Amino acid sequence: MEWKGKWIGPAQSMGDVCPVFAREFNKGDFPGKEIESVQLQVTAMGVYEAQLNGKRVGDYVLAPGWTSYETRHQYQCYDITELVEDRNRLEITVGKGWYRSPVPGWITEEGKAQRAAIPAGLIAELKITFTDTTTAVIPTDETWQAAESRIRFSEIYDGEVYDASFEVSDYQPVVLLERTTGNLIPQQGEKITEHEYVKAARCFTAPNGEVVVDFGQEVTGYIQFTLDAKAGEKVEISHGEVLDKDGNFYNANYRSAKSKIYYTCCDGVQTYKPKMTFFGFRYIRLDQFPGTPCADQFYAVAVHSDMKRTGRLRSSNPLLNQLFSNIIWGQKGNFLDVPTDCPQRDERMGWTGDAQAFVKTASYNFDVDRFFTKWLADMAADQRPDGSIGHVVPTLYVGSGSAAWDDAAAICPWQIYLTYGDKEILRQQFDCMKKYIGFITNSTKDPYLWTGGEHYEDWLGLDAPVGSYKGSSRADFIASAFYAYSTSLVVKAGRVLGEDISEYERLYQGIVDTFRKTFTDYRTQTEHVLAVHFGLAEDPQKTADALAEMIKACGSKLQTGFVGTPYLLHVLSSYGHTELAYTLLLRTEYPSWLYPVTKGATTVWEHWDGIMENGDFWSTDMNSFNHYAYGAVADWVYEAAAGIQTVEDAPGFARVKIAPQPDSRLDWLEASIETRKGTVRSLWKQEEGRIRYEITTPSPAEIVIAGETIEVGAGDYIFYSEIA
């Protein structure tokens, strides 16, 4: 579209202070006209909050979100008709956001200095429509003004400094910025909004004398507090995820992220919450706070992309239910416009490896169609000239070309297609998928394998050599397995789109044949898992059996990392080892999904032993307590334990397969997914010496009960089977 508004910025730099831009307009400016509607179209180089006559415009938090700004910079449209008065003042405050913050925080690179030098830019248009159908536009131009706001500092990692006693005045002229409007696009992803308000559970004095507030749940967002104070009194607050083994506040794992709030009070009762930043936290430490604080003064405000909840899991096991809750909170906390790895430390980036591991679970838990469509569009926009994919999207200076991470280019769009049934996501991403396969083909040292290069391998695999974050699975094995898998997805996507994929069919067969000749033995749990799950093992039953024996031999413990864990239970249950899969799921000792639950986790951890059995921390440099990737186990619960499965030739749950697999260690298990066709539900429970199944399907289904297949239409059904 043609923008009448121009990019504007303060005439003089305000340093770290967030500028507020202002423009007045009155109904009297348009004599003889009656206003029918007023629309505000706006975006910023940073994040913004707009107010008309002192009232907030819209509920979008941290607008315009995070995209690959150079090519895809979102703008938002708001209907502000109801806020318009006879005399009006529009104010828009702009913070650094992702656009101008020093991300990523833990490495030094040229891009940080460049981002820090970018001015706080704003572009907007007020479009006024009159009852006679004529229009008027008030664009950002030299008639606007800018002043220092009460937000004296705001940045993604370090937090916010706010002075409620500061009088905003001394408005200065603005200048036009030489910035393009050619990259501006309408809002594509889900907006970011406030969701749950979690009331503080307790306010207590820690053993070391510090005052700490516990919200009882780790959230991503910010706090809101209310207090009665005098002008000039100070509030200083630090954020943390956990307490140490002595019960004291701890946040050394935030690394260089300060994650602080500094607030200067005005007179009287006042309420504050940050406007231009977010935190990952369960606890806050009151470093300064007027009066005697109590829990009733504090709320944690959960902030994430505005996704509809679609999936639910419940069982008779309280620890398992807590795990299900942790997975949901982990997804909410890390689906803040991009699928971040973690929300608290000096990182918070869209890691592709985490996203591809979790995308299936994500798409069952919430409607993430729009969320991933936007993020994958950024991936395609940022794809390197050689076809590789950045380790993080939007792409920053972190590198590209790692197996399983780059493979998000194929895995994510295919899963979104399977869950929602809309081939448009494949059409949007197909060129990106093909270019990625081309990158591997052109960069490998050995034809039909992926050899050479630098990879994260089986990241955080428990069988890693001492001193390594990588598991013991062979890099070339993992890379070649994912090469095969992603090529197979290009073939499948091409068939859906009606494309000529003969080249990729031949390539895929060549990879499979070469893989089988090259890798004649499987040495780790992850190697067994990938060989079976990706269809590379010549004898998948034998390989799955060997995996089961390997797991039992080490005490029924998993040793897989980021690469193997998402598929581990699927492989076991697909080849007759469902009981062992349940054993791993229900295990409470380290390492296991339930071990963190026994340590009080309310989100999924980065490390199985982020808090070790003796209460010490695994490390300070890489120890997130809200890291959603291992929550991918939920898709096994949906698909295998509860039995709800998509059918590839009927995507979007147009046809359903429901094949529950009960286990005697649970009295009952229930799963439901709200699909595009309606809600599919599976409940099984032990009842008087037999198992009762309650199944709801919104579309034709193949129901498998105790090995017997029943074809049914949409409806509610009850079945029984004997306990095995």
Side-chain angles (χ1 to χ4, degrees):
M1 62 163 287
E2 187 72 25
W3 277 77
K4 294 183 179 179
K6 306 295 183 184
W7 281 106
I8 60 174
Q12 295 182 340
S13 172
M14 297 180 182
D16 285 330
V17 175
C18 297
V20 55
F21 297 87
R23 176 69 156 81
E24 295 181 348
F25 68 99
N26 306 314
K27 287 184 176 179
D29 296 338
F30 312 101
K33 298 282 188 178
E34 183 178 350
I35 293 177
E36 182 175 274
S37 65
V38 182
Q39 306 289 322
L40 172 64
Q41 182 172 284
V42 58
T43 193
M45 295 190 297
V47 293
Y48 70 85
E49 180 184 276
Q51 293 190 344
L52 183 64
N53 304 321
K55 296 179 180 178
R56 196 183 197 283
V57 172
D59 60 353
Y60 196 139
V61 178
L62 300 170
W66 193 7
T67 52
S68 301
Y69 296 117
E70 290 188 8
T71 55
R72 291 167 34 78
H73 192 148
Q74 294 184 133
Y75 63 86
Q76 289 72 44
C77 296
Y78 305 94
D79 186 334
I80 59 173
T81 308
E82 298 301 316
L83 299 179
V84 173
E85 302 174 358
D86 289 340
R87 301 178 65 83
N88 300 280
R89 182 176 179 84
L90 176 64
E91 296 180 334
I92 305 175
T93 307
V94 177
K96 293 181 180 180
W98 299 277
Y99 202 110
R100 295 181 289 124
S101 287
V103 291
W106 83 96
I107 62 175
T108 301
E109 44 86 10
E110 183 180 355
K112 290 185 181 181
Q114 293 172 343
R115 281 192 291 275
I118 296 173
L122 173 74
I123 189 170
E125 292 179 1
L126 277 166
K127 183 178 180 180
I128 304 171
T129 301
F130 303 102
T131 54
D132 63 3
T133 72
T134 60
T135 61
V137 175
I138 301 175
T140 44
D141 56 20
E142 297 93 333
T143 64
W144 287 59
Q145 293 182 311
E148 293 188 1
S149 75
R150 290 177 174 175
I151 305 176
R152 314 307 292 169
F153 171 88
S154 188
E155 188 270 319
I156 293 296
Y157 294 149
D158 288 346
E160 193 160 293
V161 179
Y162 190 91
D163 187 348
S165 67
F166 179 80
E167 294 296 328
V168 180
S169 59
D170 192 23
Y171 277 85
Q172 302 293 325
V174 298
V175 293
L176 300 183
L177 304 176
E178 294 184 4
R179 295 279 169 168
T180 183
T181 58
N183 60 342
L184 299 181
I185 62 171
Q187 175 74 27
Q188 183 183 25
E190 301 284 8
K191 63 183 178 180
I192 309 165
T193 55
E194 294 182 350
H195 291 269
E196 296 88 350
Y197 270 58
V198 180
K199 188 175 182 179
R202 59 181 180 136
C203 179
F204 65 97
T205 300
N208 62 4
E210 296 174 341
V211 179
V212 178
V213 178
D214 175 11
F215 294 95
Q217 172 64 56
E218 174 147 355
V219 304
T220 299
Y222 37 73
I223 63 166
Q224 175 179 292
F225 61 79
T226 300
L227 78 167
D228 189 352
K230 297 178 181 178
E233 289 190 297
K234 305 291 185 182
V235 173
E236 179 183 347
I237 293 173
S238 300
H239 297 75
E241 294 182 283
V242 293
L243 303 177
D244 67 18
K245 64 182 179 182
D246 296 320
N248 295 313
F249 177 87
Y250 173 88
N251 69 356
N253 63 316
Y254 283 34
R255 302 189 303 213
S256 67
K258 295 184 177 65
S259 292
K260 300 270 285 188
I261 290 173
Y262 295 91
Y263 177 82
T264 301
C265 301
C266 57
D267 270 324
V269 177
Q270 54 211 283
T271 298
Y272 164 79
K273 60 184 177 183
K275 297 176 180 292
M276 302 287 172
T277 189
F278 68 93
F279 310 86
F281 64 100
R282 171 177 168 172
Y283 300 91
I284 57 173
R285 182 180 63 200
L286 304 182
D287 302 317
Q288 289 189 75
F289 200 85
T292 302
C294 65
D296 289 344
Q297 294 175 267
F298 300 92
Y299 286 87
V301 185
V303 172
H304 57 80
S305 291
D306 194 21
M307 309 168 294
K308 180 182 179 181
R309 176 81 179 273
T310 53
R312 286 172 170 79
L313 296 170
R314 297 190 308 140
S315 79
S316 57
N317 185 319
L319 294 179
L320 198 55
N321 290 338
Q322 184 63 54
L323 173 64
F324 297 154
S325 174
N326 293 0
I327 292 168
I328 291 295
W329 276 101
Q331 181 172 349
K332 290 190 293 189
N334 282 291
F335 275 43
L336 197 157
D337 209 41
V338 303
T340 58
D341 57 326
C342 58
Q344 74 296 90
R345 65 188 181 211
D346 54 353
E347 196 163 352
R348 315 186 199 181
M349 298 185 299
W351 282 93
T352 49
D354 303 57
Q356 66 83 15
F358 191 74
V359 63
K360 183 187 291 186
T361 291
S363 69
Y364 293 166
N365 287 339
F366 290 88
D367 186 336
V368 293
D369 189 2
R370 188 174 176 182
F371 177 90
F372 270 99
T373 296
K374 171 255 186 185
W375 184 70
L376 288 168
D378 285 310
M379 177 186 290
D382 282 348
Q383 189 169 24
R384 304 292 173 89
D386 65 0
S388 64
I389 304 296
H391 299 333
V392 298
V393 173
T395 298
L396 297 167
Y397 301 84
V398 185
S400 67
S402 174
W405 274 247
D406 288 37
D407 290 276
I411 294 171
C412 291
W414 180 250
Q415 184 60 52
I416 295 302
Y417 165 69
L418 286 183
T419 301
Y420 303 111
D422 187 351
K423 64 178 70 175
E424 185 57 36
I425 187 65
L426 300 180
R427 190 172 289 113
Q428 171 186 295
Q429 297 300 126
F430 194 54
D431 283 345
C432 176
M433 295 168 73
K434 291 189 297 181
K435 289 176 183 176
Y436 170 57
I437 298 302
F439 156 70
I440 303 172
T441 303
N442 295 328
S443 62
T444 183
K445 293 180 179 180
D446 299 285
Y448 298 115
L449 298 173
W450 187 359
T451 55
E454 292 293 327
H455 303 280
Y456 290 107
E457 302 175 32
D458 193 21
W459 189 249
L460 301 183
L462 295 178
D463 55 2
V466 175
S468 172
Y469 286 144
K470 301 177 180 180
S472 291
S473 300
R474 290 164 285 181
D476 290 348
F477 186 106
I478 292 172
S480 298
F482 273 92
Y483 184 20
Y485 185 51
S486 286
T487 302
S488 76
L489 296 183
V490 170
V491 170
K492 290 179 180 180
R495 288 173 181 160
V496 171
L497 297 173
E499 298 282 345
D500 179 5
I501 39 82
S502 55
E503 170 190 351
Y504 296 96
E505 290 174 322
R506 291 191 297 271
L507 175 62
Y508 175 67
Q509 192 58 53
I511 298 170
V512 173
D513 292 343
T514 307
F515 186 95
R516 289 174 175 174
K517 292 176 184 176
T518 303
F519 300 107
T520 57
D521 65 327
Y522 310 134
R523 303 173 184 174
T524 66
Q525 289 185 14
T526 288
E527 289 187 2
H528 284 77
V529 167
L530 297 185
V532 175
H533 196 72
F534 292 166
L536 298 169
E538 292 192 72
D539 188 337
Q541 183 65 61
K542 179 181 178 181
T543 307
D545 291 345
L547 169 65
E549 291 305 314
M550 179 179 286
I551 293 170
K552 293 175 183 177
C554 67
S556 294
K557 295 185 293 188
L558 54 77
Q559 294 184 315
T560 49
F562 267 43
V563 167
T565 301
Y567 311 122
L568 175 62
L569 301 193
H570 287 283
V571 170
L572 291 173
S573 60
S574 296
Y575 290 90
H577 301 287
T578 300
E579 183 177 353
L580 180 57
Y582 270 106
T583 296
L584 293 179
L585 176 69
L586 299 175
R587 177 186 171 92
T588 56
E589 301 82 12
Y590 164 81
S592 67
W593 282 277
L594 295 185
Y595 169 76
V597 174
T598 69
K599 289 293 187 180
T602 61
T603 44
V604 176
W605 292 357
E606 181 176 20
H607 294 272
W608 304 107
D609 59 343
I611 299 175
M612 296 188 290
E613 291 168 313
N614 65 1
D616 291 338
F617 296 113
W618 185 85
S619 73
T620 57
D621 69 318
M622 196 176 68
N623 199 18
S624 161
F625 294 97
N626 190 355
H627 228 82
Y628 66 87
Y630 286 144
V633 70
D635 66 51
W636 179 84
V637 181
Y638 282 114
E639 291 189 340
I644 300 173
Q645 301 167 28
T646 56
V647 180
E648 283 197 3
D649 60 1
F653 292 89
R655 179 174 172 79
V656 186
K657 179 178 180 181
I658 305 175
Q661 299 186 61
D663 185 272
S664 61
R665 286 164 287 186
L666 294 179
D667 294 330
W668 58 271
L669 175 72
E670 180 181 28
S672 65
I673 304 173
E674 185 177 337
T675 77
R676 292 288 191 267
K677 301 298 181 181
T679 298
V680 56
R681 171 179 173 265
S682 174
L683 165 69
W684 58 258
K685 58 182 176 181
Q686 300 190 54
E687 183 181 89
E688 298 177 351
R690 59 182 179 172
I691 299 176
R692 174 188 172 101
Y693 303 86
E694 297 179 8
I695 293 173
T696 299
T697 175
S699 51
E702 174 187 295
I703 299 176
V704 182
I705 301 295
E708 181 181 353
T709 300
I710 308 105
E711 296 283 345
V712 301
D716 299 319
Y717 300 91
I718 295 176
F719 302 94
Y720 293 90
S721 74
E722 298 301 319
I723 295 177

